[in-house]
Amino acid sequence: MHRTTGRPGTRRTRLRTAAAVCAVALGTLATLGTPANAAPSAAPSASSGTVPATATSVSSDRAARADTPWKLRTPLSETASREFWDVAATGAKDAWAVGRRTDGADGPTPLIRHWNGSAWTDVPAASTDGKAAQLEKVAAAAPDDAWAAGTLADNTSAPVVLQHWDGVKWTKVGHAAPAEGSLSFVGDLAAFGKKAAWLTSFDWDPNGGTQVSRLERWTGSAWQTVSLPAAPGGGEVQPWDITGTGPDDVWVTASAMTGEVSVPLLYHWNGGGWTVREVPAPGEHPTGWVANHAVATGRNSVYVVGKTNDPQSPTATMAARWTGGRWQSLPALPFDEANAAGADGAGRPWIAGWTPGNPHAVLARWTGTEWATEELPAEVTEHSEMSTVLGVAGVPGTRGVLAAGTAGCASDPVQCGVLVSRDLG
């Protein structure tokens, strides 16, 4: 399996290449999930639902899209392929978007853009020693403390790419390489302070189909492996998404894998120890359920969204909120699967995905009683064939939210990076 076309398993859907974006129109999506339940020879999993767009549906939706509260922050560029995979912000004058740029036959190079309150500008990434690479995750704790994580694009047994921003420049940070023959992938990344960054990743052996998952914490000088407590019902614990409100309030979703059956878990770190809870699923499923995303909106408020752990396509979705004392079940997602999740500056949860019949990403906000969907700006939907949102992040000190992704522009195979915002003026 090629590193840039998907990952084994079914946990998280993303568009990562021009081929993957084009596949949306054919009803197949490259996945970047993790569970080790994929067969050794399996191709990247496909998400459910075809998304054919007719001229009639595009025309009928145009007025609604024109009225969307989301605004395009940077023009769609067709001079070179640019893809954004994640976004983070520490305030109204400090935000980051990361991804990759592809221009020519030398492969991708890391793409980093910074918002200073008035404009988005490119910022040089740290050296990758001349090797093709991409950045897939970004997290920021302060204007002088941000992290970016990704992978090399040459399908070698190389460590994940880690870079740190100190307020002046991005610097390469070392990480252990996987076992010979295995490929390393990034799961998630979060930052809560100088000595409180967290990373999930996994090494996958394409020959044997085995997987080694890990959770790590930055101590201020090195990345240290963290062992999670055993799952309540047994099974191999595979950590994935990370959220939280501070160094002593960190939440990690995980799957407890027993064969091909997955049980979704939510771990909590209070600064001194771990607790673990099983996430309630809406029903039985032969392969169980996975928790794709978690969003903390307060110390005792965590939203978890997920889906069935089906190797081909999710057959149902789930959503629940931990209130600090009990689980609250939420309605099913308005998408086949959530590609991104986050909270705005006011603490309102947001998710992004595809709705049937629409080749463009749709965003949805939890109102307290339902998921209210909103379209991307017309500058995106009317000037590209399809799009996806891969990162959602609130802007502290405001009510606003940023979303990052990619769109399939007319000059195939060029990908256009998408940066949009809501309630930021």
Side-chain angles (χ1 to χ4, degrees):
M1 182 188 65
H2 194 278
R3 189 188 298 273
T4 59
T5 58
R7 294 183 184 170
T10 61
R11 191 174 294 190
R12 197 172 198 168
T13 300
R14 291 173 176 242
L15 292 183
R16 303 184 63 175
T17 63
V21 175
C22 292
V24 178
L26 301 176
T28 60
L29 307 175
T31 57
L32 292 192
T34 81
N37 60 330
S41 59
S45 304
S47 181
S48 64
T50 57
V51 286
T54 65
T56 300
S57 65
V58 172
S59 175
S60 63
D61 288 344
R62 185 165 295 169
R65 293 175 183 170
D67 293 336
T68 180
W70 289 85
K71 296 182 180 180
L72 185 65
R73 307 305 303 193
T74 61
L76 299 184
S77 170
E78 296 187 29
T79 58
S81 286
R82 300 167 67 92
E83 302 165 68
F84 292 119
W85 293 340
D86 202 13
V87 64
T90 67
K93 296 183 179 181
D94 182 51
W96 296 94
V98 301
R100 74 176 186 177
R101 180 190 295 106
T102 305
D103 186 11
D106 295 333
T109 57
L111 174 61
I112 302 178
R113 301 210 88 190
H114 181 252
W115 170 254
N116 63 5
S118 59
W120 287 93
T121 56
D122 289 344
V123 176
S127 172
T128 57
D129 301 320
K131 297 181 179 180
Q134 56 262 333
L135 295 174
E136 302 156 15
K137 283 293 181 180
V138 64
D144 63 348
D145 183 22
W147 287 89
T151 55
L152 296 181
D154 57 3
N155 292 315
T156 60
S157 297
V160 295
V161 175
L162 285 172
Q163 302 191 2
H164 182 257
W165 171 258
D166 62 4
V168 178
K169 66 181 183 303
W170 287 92
T171 303
K172 177 181 177 181
V173 177
H175 190 271
E180 185 66 28
S182 294
L183 301 177
S184 290
F185 295 94
V186 175
D188 201 14
L189 179 68
F192 304 107
K194 295 290 187 181
K195 297 182 179 180
W198 295 79
L199 171 74
T200 58
S201 63
F202 68 96
D203 301 335
W204 179 65
D205 182 353
N207 296 314
T210 57
Q211 174 183 312
V212 177
S213 300
R214 68 178 60 83
L215 172 68
E216 295 173 275
R217 180 175 61 177
W218 177 252
T219 64
S221 59
W223 285 97
Q224 180 183 74
T225 300
V226 177
S227 296
L228 289 171
E236 178 190 356
V237 176
Q238 298 178 349
W240 187 250
D241 212 46
I242 311 168
T243 187
T245 65
D248 61 349
D249 185 39
V250 180
W251 301 83
V252 179
T253 67
S255 291
M257 298 297 302
T258 303
E260 295 185 354
V261 180
S262 171
V263 175
L265 304 174
L266 181 64
Y267 284 84
H268 180 243
W269 170 256
N270 64 5
W274 292 96
T275 56
V276 57
R277 299 173 179 86
E278 184 174 332
V279 181
E284 296 291 332
H285 190 271
T287 59
W289 298 76
V290 290
N292 298 64
H293 307 279
V295 179
T297 59
R299 291 190 67 88
N300 291 306
S301 178
V302 183
Y303 292 80
V304 179
V305 299
K307 63 183 183 64
T308 54
N309 186 37
D310 192 288
Q312 293 301 319
S313 61
T315 56
T317 62
M318 69 174 187
R321 179 194 178 202
W322 175 252
T323 65
R326 66 181 182 88
W327 284 102
Q328 173 190 2
S329 295
L330 306 182
L333 308 186
F335 318 124
D336 290 333
E337 182 176 356
N339 295 335
D344 60 25
R348 299 174 297 185
W350 286 88
I351 56 176
W354 290 282
T355 55
N358 188 350
H360 292 284
V362 174
L363 294 119
R365 172 175 50 88
W366 176 245
T367 67
T369 58
E370 64 179 358
W371 295 103
T373 59
E374 296 178 356
E375 302 279 354
L376 290 171
E379 294 96 323
V380 176
T381 60
E382 295 182 10
H383 297 283
S384 63
E385 296 179 352
M386 56 205 69
S387 62
T388 186
V389 168
L390 301 174
V392 176
V395 181
T398 76
R399 293 180 59 84
V401 60
L402 291 163
T406 186
C409 293
S411 302
D412 186 61
V414 170
Q415 296 302 295
C416 297
V418 174
L419 285 173
V420 295
S421 70
R422 190 185 193 276
D423 297 329
L424 286 180

